[in-house]
């Protein structure tokens, strides 16, 4: 097979639980499964990985028959276009044997000749719903670190990133922050922003479907909540001021040293030219 014809395959992983505030990250996977043709290609059975009192089996009725569905992580193959295929991984965060679990995930990546691995996550934070939700995008060694660069609790995405990087995979981890004051209902805005960041990383325009409309509905519901609660409105206003300050600080940091030197040089050249004109005028007087 020629290089031009070879499919680029990326594994995208998200897990229910501690890493998935408001189901924002796993809903990216669910959205992709609805937006594109997909095929289930494998799974990691829950036996030995889950505490069934934490991740309980579900009783389902299928064609009049009762069936117990046990917790499991599933893999789906989705062809985005002629050159890009996604291997989507989704399931509950395991309770036990994280290293073994991640090794099985990486084995699936090997079977499908995955080129790189992207993990998705969402977390509650002090951020306002009236501004773009904060996104942290960590690549390589940073993907196995806390987003603030300090030690702290980690989840299964961090372990998967770390072990995959040790095996030579390019890894990236994308996390979105969700306003903690809005509770645990689904957050379409966070899912939409994760999807858009994923689109940018993959270099393709992923289908957004109904997510923009759902995100606007989420904002409208939040606005009603603030309208009915003056204390909450004041709290959000303080968060807005802090978010705006941080945004302004980031904009100022984008003026890097070479750019600053260029501005200084332009100013010096302008002043020098004005001086030369002045001297020329004096000599002709």
């Amino acid at each position: 097979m020629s290089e031009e014809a070879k499919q680029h395959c990326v594994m995208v992983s998200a897990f229910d639980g501690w890493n998935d505030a408001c189901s924002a990250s796993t809903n990216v996977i669910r959205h992709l499964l609805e937006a594109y043709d997909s095929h289930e290609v494998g799974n990691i059975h829950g036996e030995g990985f889950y505490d069934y009192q934490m991740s309980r089996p579900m009783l389902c009725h299928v064609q009049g028959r009762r069936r117990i569905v046990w917790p499991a992580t599933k893999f789906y193959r989705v062809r985005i276009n002629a050159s890009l295929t996604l291997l989507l991984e989704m399931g509950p965060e395991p309770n036990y044997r994280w290293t073994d679990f991640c090794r099985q995930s990486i084995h699936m990546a090997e079977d499908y000749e995955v080129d790189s691995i992207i993990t998705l996550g969402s977390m509650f934070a002090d951020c306002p719903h009236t501004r773009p939700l904060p996104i942290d995008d960590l690549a390589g060694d940073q993907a196995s670190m806390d987003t603030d660069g300090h030690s702290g609790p980690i989840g299964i995405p961090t372990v998967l990133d770390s072990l995959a990087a040790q095996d030579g995979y390019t890894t990236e981890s994308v996390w979105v922050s969700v306003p903690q004051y809005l509770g645990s209902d689904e957050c379409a805005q966070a899912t939409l922003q994760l999807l858009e960041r994923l689109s940018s990383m993959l270099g393709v325009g992923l289908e957004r479907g109904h997510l923009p409309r759902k995100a606007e509905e989420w904002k409208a519901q939040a606005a009603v909540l603030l309208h009915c609660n003056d204390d909450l409105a004041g709290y959000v206003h303080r968060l807005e001021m802090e978010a705006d300050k941080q945004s302004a600080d980031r904009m100022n940091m984008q003026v890097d040293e070479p750019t600053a030197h260029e501005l200084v040089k332009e100013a010096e050249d302008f002043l020098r030219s004005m001086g030369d004109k002045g001297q020329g005028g004096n000599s002709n007087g």
Side-chain angles (χ1 to χ4, degrees), residues 199-260:
S199 293
S200 177
M201 295 167 70
L202 296 173
V204 298
L206 295 173
E207 294 288 344
R208 300 196 303 169
H210 297 302
L211 281 177
R213 175 181 59 80
K214 291 181 178 179
E216 290 302 320
E217 292 174 354
W218 175 80
K219 291 178 183 177
Q221 292 171 356
V224 171
L225 184 63
L226 264 64
H227 182 73
C228 300
N229 189 324
D230 291 340
D231 290 339
L232 182 58
Y235 170 69
V236 172
H237 180 62
R238 292 192 295 273
L239 292 180
E240 289 172 335
M241 292 191 294
E242 180 62 26
D244 291 342
K245 180 180 181 301
Q246 292 176 359
S247 179
D249 291 343
R250 285 193 296 269
M251 289 292 292
N252 291 333
M253 290 178 62
Q254 290 178 0
V255 182
D256 55 15
E257 189 173 349
T259 303

Side-chain angles (χ1 to χ4, degrees), residues 71-282:
T73 293
K74 295 184 177 181
F75 295 83
Y76 304 87
R77 190 171 183 270
V78 175
R79 185 174 183 181
I80 301 300
N81 55 37
S83 60
L84 175 63
T85 295
L86 299 181
L87 180 64
L88 303 178
E89 177 183 19
M90 181 176 64
E93 181 180 56
N95 301 101
Y96 310 114
R97 298 169 54 207
W98 281 16
T99 300
D100 291 342
F101 179 91
C102 290
R103 289 296 178 200
Q104 290 196 33
S105 295
I106 294 170
H107 183 67
M108 284 292 299
E110 293 170 351
D111 286 347
Y112 284 88
E113 298 183 345
V114 162
D115 303 301
S116 59
I117 296 174
I118 299 173
T119 57
L120 305 177
S122 52
M123 55 190 171
F124 289 113
D126 292 324
C127 58
H129 71 279
T130 52
R131 301 291 187 270
L133 301 179
I135 291 271
D136 289 301
D137 184 358
L138 305 177
D141 292 340
Q142 287 185 323
S144 61
M145 295 170 58
D146 181 85
T147 53
D148 292 325
H150 62 262
S151 300
I154 60 173
I156 198 68
T158 306
V159 178
L160 178 57
D161 288 328
S162 179
L163 294 178
Q166 291 176 20
D167 284 357
Y169 284 97
T170 298
T171 63
E172 294 183 89
S173 187
V174 186
W175 290 74
V176 64
S177 294
V178 179
Q180 54 83 21
Y181 58 85
L182 292 179
S184 58
D185 291 339
E186 291 188 359
C187 180
Q189 179 64 32
T191 298
L192 176 61
Q193 287 188 218
L194 278 178
L195 181 73
E196 290 174 339
R197 179 59 61 90
L198 183 61
S199 293
S200 177
M201 295 167 70
L202 296 173
V204 298
L206 295 173
E207 294 288 344
R208 300 196 303 169
H210 297 302
L211 281 177
R213 175 181 59 80
K214 291 181 178 179
E216 290 302 320
E217 292 174 354
W218 175 80
K219 291 178 183 177
Q221 292 171 356
V224 171
L225 184 63
L226 264 64
H227 182 73
C228 300
N229 189 324
D230 291 340
D231 290 339
L232 182 58
Y235 170 69
V236 172
H237 180 62
R238 292 192 295 273
L239 292 180
E240 289 172 335
M241 292 191 294
E242 180 62 26
D244 291 342
K245 180 180 181 301
Q246 292 176 359
S247 179
D249 291 343
R250 285 193 296 269
M251 289 292 292
N252 291 333
M253 290 178 62
Q254 290 178 0
V255 182
D256 55 15
E257 189 173 349
T259 303
H261 283 311
E262 290 173 6
L263 293 174
V264 171
K265 185 176 183 303
E266 289 178 5
E268 291 175 343
D269 291 343
F270 174 76
L271 292 174
R272 188 178 298 109
S273 66
M274 294 297 294
D276 291 341
K277 288 180 180 180
Q279 292 178 0
N282 290 337

